[in-house]
Amino acid sequence: MSAAFGRLRGWARRTKAEVHALYLAYRDPRTPLHARLFAALVMAYALSPIDLIPDAIPVLGHLDDLLLVPLGVALAVRMIPPHVLEECRKKARENPGRVRPAAWGGVVVVAGLWLLLLGLAALLLARAL
């Protein structure tokens, strides 16, 4: 059990470092606009205190953190030019945790999605009654 926990901790540490490198790449002017926009969305969601699926829901609550964030990071990383990403990874290793981007964008996006879903549910409920 402790070996699996150690691997999970290592994976989480690497993902955190990758998000940091992604933040640095987002700020780099050599990163294409589409990659910047997608990286901003992924970082905002990863750092947002509001989840698309609340953590209180058993299993599904943590599934978004375990699947959506790493998949989003992996996709964003593929959009960034390799030389830019390597420089940003190096900077992230040299200054771990030094830069923490604001997560308000993620809060707005996720809260907006929740409000949209609640509105649709209310509309469907009103039609059914």
Side-chain angles (χ1 to χ4, degrees), residues 93-110:
R93 281 191 302 269
E94 291 170 356
N95 298 312
R98 193 164 176 187
V99 179
R100 183 166 175 98
W104 285 109
V107 171
V108 170
V109 169
V110 174

Side-chain angles (χ1 to χ4, degrees), residues 8-29:
L8 187 59
R9 266 183 128 174
W11 173 79
R13 209 174 294 123
R14 286 187 303 275
T15 300
K16 183 179 176 183
E18 203 68 355
V19 169
H20 187 171
L22 196 58
Y23 171 72
L24 296 172
Y26 159 78
R27 296 187 52 159
D28 193 303

Side-chain angles (χ1 to χ4, degrees), residues 41-128:
L41 181 67
V42 170
M43 288 182 305
Y45 185 78
L47 301 173
S48 172
I50 300 173
D51 286 341
L52 190 60
I53 303 170
D55 290 341
I57 298 174
V59 182
L60 290 178
H62 294 287
L63 196 58
D64 66 334
D65 295 329
L66 292 174
L67 291 176
L68 292 180
V69 172
L71 287 174
V73 169
L75 186 57
V77 162
R78 288 178 179 248
M79 295 179 184
I80 298 168
H83 64 282
V84 173
L85 186 61
E86 193 51 46
E87 286 178 29
C88 294
R89 284 178 175 153
K90 183 180 176 190
K91 287 179 188 176
R93 281 191 302 269
E94 291 170 356
N95 298 312
R98 193 164 176 187
V99 179
R100 183 166 175 98
W104 285 109
V107 171
V108 170
V109 169
V110 174
L113 286 173
W114 271 111
L115 289 173
L116 179 66
L117 290 173
L118 286 173
L120 288 173
L123 182 65
L124 290 174
L125 185 62
R127 284 188 178 181

